[in-house]
Amino acid sequence: MKQGLSLRVSQHLALTPQLQQSIRLLQLSTLELSQEVDQMLDDNPFLERSSEEAAREEFGLSQADAPVPAQELEADAYSANNAPASTDTRAETSNSDAPAEFASEAANEGASEPEDFTWDGDGSADLRPDDGEWGGDAAPRKNNIESDETDATELARNQESLQQHLHQQALLLRLCAEDQAALAFLIESLNDDGYLEDTLESLAQGLAGTDEAQVEPLLHHFRVALALLHTLEPAGVGARHLAECLRLQLQPLASAASAANTFNSERHAVVQAALRICQQPMELLARRDIKRLALACGEVEAQIRAAIALIGRLEPKPGRRFVQVERNIVVPDVLVKVVGRGAQLRIQVLLNADVMPRLRVHDIYANALRQHKGASSQALQQRLQEARWFIKNIQQRFDTILRVSNAIVERQKNFFIHGELAMRPLVLREIADELGLHESTISRVTTAKYMATPYGTFELKYFFGSGLGTQTGGNASSTAVRALIKQFVAAENCKKPLSDHQLSEMLKEQGIECARRTVAKYREALRIAPTNLRKAL
């Protein structure tokens, strides 16, 4: 075995902690970013939130000064002059997965900022080179109770929950303490839809624990409480399955039809037929198998059709209207506004001030650390640098989101003017090539980030879609094709609904080549029922 020395030159990529944090912050949603900021504020003493007044003093802004839109895009002339303002090169490369980009970031790390460096994220002044505050001039949203426009979050807090609604009704019942407690326990065991998912036996055994003698008494009280729960509003609450939920809503209708002064035999017969349908497998009802249901229930097909129409007017999820609205609230990261008309029409793109944290380095602690430098202050110097990195990375996050949003709006400008029918095909690679970023960076930016538009709030990924060939040799966006299918179905004859083949032929008449299987895939994505389920009875 011969020993020797050799010299070899190689390149390798090293992700610094700052780059790793920048990548992680970029892919976080608004809620996750807020949690990350709260965690950093708890862990790092050099980081603090800045009030609006302190931010204005920091930037020297008067009360009359207001943030200006980050960029205005002309709807009729999108040229290279309207491209986003130049930003820090490291803001582009640090969030990319390409080795060359990370190598560039590592090479430039620690370099001084260019003199003309500005960040247009919130439309404020230039970022100060010292330990200044970021995002401070973003005015927080204030809820005015007396105003006509009420915040959705405030409405959600004031909304009555299903449990509260049922507990109020339970107070009006004259029950013994055991039955009252059992009823309250069942109410708290309901899911968001108003169903009781656990069996009474499992609930009783869970409460009794190791005392088997208590299971039977608890089970008795639960049976009494369940019968009382089924009498409360909304009708159908406390059901164990869909069939029972429908029966609980039909039984009052049957009693009302029987007790009416002028007995309506036809109405009574329809309700009874609906009750018999609920005793059959729910698959038959879901498929609207009229013949098998008529045979199983011993009714004529006309009666079964009327009963199915009655069942269709019932509520399969009694707790639906009590679900907290706050769970469905989506806070947009980017706001898009269309102002003006005709030649004066403009599209404004700006960041949502409510999602931008106002952070700054704690001046008192930072100045104290500068005056007492020594070997023992190395750990504190590291925490101070982490605070600066965190502010810088959040700044880069919103800067990248804004740049990508501007590029999307520029490519999809017709959508913001004419709606989803005017959507054009777009892939991540196009935006990545335009901005000089890696495709994975665009994927991170467009995931769990939302844009508020005149047509609703959409995830940034909504504006990307594949293209379908047209007879003219061009491409049509899959989003526009889905919108066209939805429009065709909305205008169809309910007695003769359109089949997937007919929808495919109608798209061909519009010059769009779309196979029947593709139409079926888009229809299912739109949650549109097949032809046999859309047909009116």
Side-chain angles (χ1 to χ4, degrees):
M1 182 176 180
K2 184 179 180 180
Q3 296 181 349
L5 296 175
S6 62
L7 181 63
R8 183 175 60 182
V9 179
S10 63
Q11 292 182 346
H12 67 279
L13 176 65
L15 291 178
T16 64
Q18 183 181 6
L19 292 178
Q20 296 177 13
Q21 184 185 70
S22 178
I23 295 174
R24 189 179 74 255
L25 292 179
L26 185 63
Q27 62 189 5
L28 296 180
S29 63
T30 300
L31 179 60
E32 293 170 340
L33 177 65
S34 177
Q35 295 173 351
E36 184 79 12
V37 170
D38 293 338
Q39 182 67 31
M40 183 61 69
L41 287 171
D42 293 337
D43 296 342
N44 197 317
F46 291 97
L47 199 63
E48 66 172 351
R49 293 188 187 273
S50 176
S51 61
E52 183 181 1
E53 292 76 11
R56 293 188 178 277
E57 292 177 1
E58 184 74 14
F59 285 104
L61 298 176
S62 63
Q63 188 67 24
D65 294 332
V68 297
Q71 183 182 9
E72 295 184 357
L73 300 179
E74 296 293 339
D76 55 346
Y78 281 70
S79 61
N81 295 331
N82 288 328
S86 60
T87 56
D88 188 7
T89 306
R90 291 186 294 171
E92 301 178 7
T93 58
S94 63
N95 297 321
S96 174
D97 286 349
E101 295 170 352
F102 278 124
S104 175
E105 170 67 28
N108 294 331
E109 187 176 358
S112 60
E113 296 287 341
E115 295 181 359
D116 58 346
F117 170 74
T118 59
W119 180 69
D120 297 333
D122 57 351
S124 62
D126 295 354
L127 184 70
R128 294 181 55 148
D130 57 358
D131 299 334
E133 166 272 347
W134 173 79
D137 59 341
R141 178 180 295 178
K142 299 180 180 179
N143 294 330
N144 186 4
I145 301 179
E146 299 178 357
S147 63
D148 295 334
E149 298 180 358
T150 307
D151 188 77
T153 308
E154 189 67 24
L155 288 175
R157 295 193 186 101
N158 297 331
Q159 184 182 6
E160 185 182 41
S161 66
L162 175 63
Q163 280 71 20
Q164 292 173 345
H165 183 68
L166 294 174
H167 281 311
Q168 291 180 359
Q169 298 179 62
L171 294 176
L172 303 178
L173 301 176
R174 302 181 64 181
L175 304 175
C176 62
E178 292 80 3
D179 291 340
Q180 188 76 33
L183 180 57
F185 187 82
L186 291 184
I187 291 175
E188 293 298 329
S189 301
L190 299 176
N191 62 12
D192 291 340
D193 295 331
Y195 284 83
L196 185 64
E197 296 178 337
D198 300 321
T199 62
L200 298 182
E201 290 77 8
S202 63
L203 294 176
Q205 291 174 359
L207 282 180
T210 58
D211 191 356
E212 296 293 337
Q214 294 294 328
V215 174
E216 192 60 32
L218 286 173
L219 193 57
H220 169 72
H221 289 297
F222 280 148
R223 291 194 183 102
V224 174
L226 183 61
L228 293 172
L229 179 60
H230 287 166
T231 63
L232 301 181
E233 291 292 335
V237 70
R240 273 73 61 86
H241 46 78
L242 178 60
E244 184 179 22
C245 178
L246 298 177
R247 286 201 303 269
L248 292 174
Q249 298 179 61
L250 289 170
Q251 286 170 357
L253 299 179
S255 302
S258 301
N261 295 331
T262 57
F263 181 72
N264 191 336
S265 59
E266 183 178 354
R267 173 72 172 176
H268 181 74
V270 172
V271 176
Q272 292 300 324
L275 287 171
R276 295 189 188 97
I277 290 175
C278 293
Q279 297 174 357
Q280 307 304 321
M282 287 290 101
E283 292 78 7
L284 299 178
L285 178 61
R287 295 197 306 265
R288 294 189 179 186
D289 196 336
I290 305 296
K291 295 184 181 298
R292 295 187 61 181
L293 285 174
L295 183 62
C297 299
E299 300 284 351
V300 297
E301 294 186 7
Q303 199 80 345
I304 294 297
R305 288 191 178 90
I308 293 179
L310 174 62
I311 293 175
R313 294 193 292 269
L314 302 179
E315 175 56 75
K317 298 180 180 180
R320 189 202 306 266
R321 63 187 178 94
F322 295 95
V323 175
Q324 290 294 328
V325 179
E326 190 172 1
R327 298 180 186 176
N328 301 324
I329 292 177
V330 175
V331 180
D333 301 85
V334 182
L335 306 177
V336 177
K337 298 180 181 179
V338 179
V339 296
R341 293 183 179 180
Q344 302 297 325
L345 190 143
R346 297 175 301 168
I347 301 180
Q348 297 179 347
V349 184
L350 61 156
L351 292 172
N352 186 3
D354 292 342
V355 303
M356 294 190 297
R358 295 181 295 278
L359 301 175
R360 61 180 297 162
V361 173
H362 202 295
D363 293 335
I364 298 179
Y365 293 164
N367 293 332
L369 185 60
R370 294 191 190 100
Q371 297 174 2
H372 298 82
K373 292 184 179 180
S376 60
S377 64
Q378 284 293 334
L380 295 178
Q381 287 285 354
Q382 180 65 26
R383 300 311 299 268
L384 177 59
Q385 186 63 31
E386 289 176 1
R388 292 170 177 167
W389 282 352
F390 189 73
I391 294 175
K392 178 66 176 178
N393 288 333
I394 289 184
Q395 170 187 340
Q396 290 181 352
R397 175 187 186 272
F398 283 98
D399 173 75
T400 307
I401 291 175
L402 181 64
R403 295 180 62 221
V404 172
S405 300
N406 280 323
I408 291 174
V409 171
E410 185 175 353
R411 294 296 184 100
Q412 300 288 6
K413 57 182 180 293
N414 289 331
F415 165 81
F416 299 96
I417 301 175
H418 304 292
E420 57 185 354
L421 287 175
M423 189 82 77
R424 55 161 292 183
L426 183 64
V427 294
L428 299 176
R429 172 59 62 183
E430 296 183 44
I431 302 297
D433 293 341
E434 179 180 343
L435 300 181
L437 301 175
H438 196 269
E439 191 172 351
S440 62
T441 302
I442 306 301
S443 178
R444 291 189 180 99
V445 172
T446 56
T447 302
K449 315 297 188 304
Y450 294 88
M451 176 184 292
T453 72
Y455 298 97
T457 300
F458 304 96
E459 189 179 13
L460 293 184
K461 280 191 178 298
Y462 171 79
F463 299 96
F464 296 86
S466 58
L468 297 176
T470 62
Q471 294 178 355
T472 59
N475 289 322
S477 172
S478 58
T479 304
V481 174
R482 285 195 294 266
L484 202 56
I485 292 174
K486 186 193 303 183
Q487 191 178 83
F488 288 156
V489 172
E492 70 182 1
N493 185 355
C494 296
K495 296 184 178 180
K496 294 182 179 180
L498 299 172
S499 64
D500 295 339
H501 177 72
Q502 290 174 318
L503 290 173
S504 177
E505 293 297 326
M506 295 175 68
L507 290 174
K508 289 182 180 179
E509 294 177 0
Q510 300 292 328
I512 301 174
E513 298 292 337
C514 188
R516 183 194 60 81
R517 287 179 296 180
T518 306
V519 171
K521 182 181 70 173
Y522 289 164
R523 176 181 54 76
E524 292 174 359
L526 294 170
R527 296 185 178 181
I528 298 177
T531 306
N532 61 328
L533 297 183
R534 299 202 310 270
K535 187 176 182 179
L537 298 174

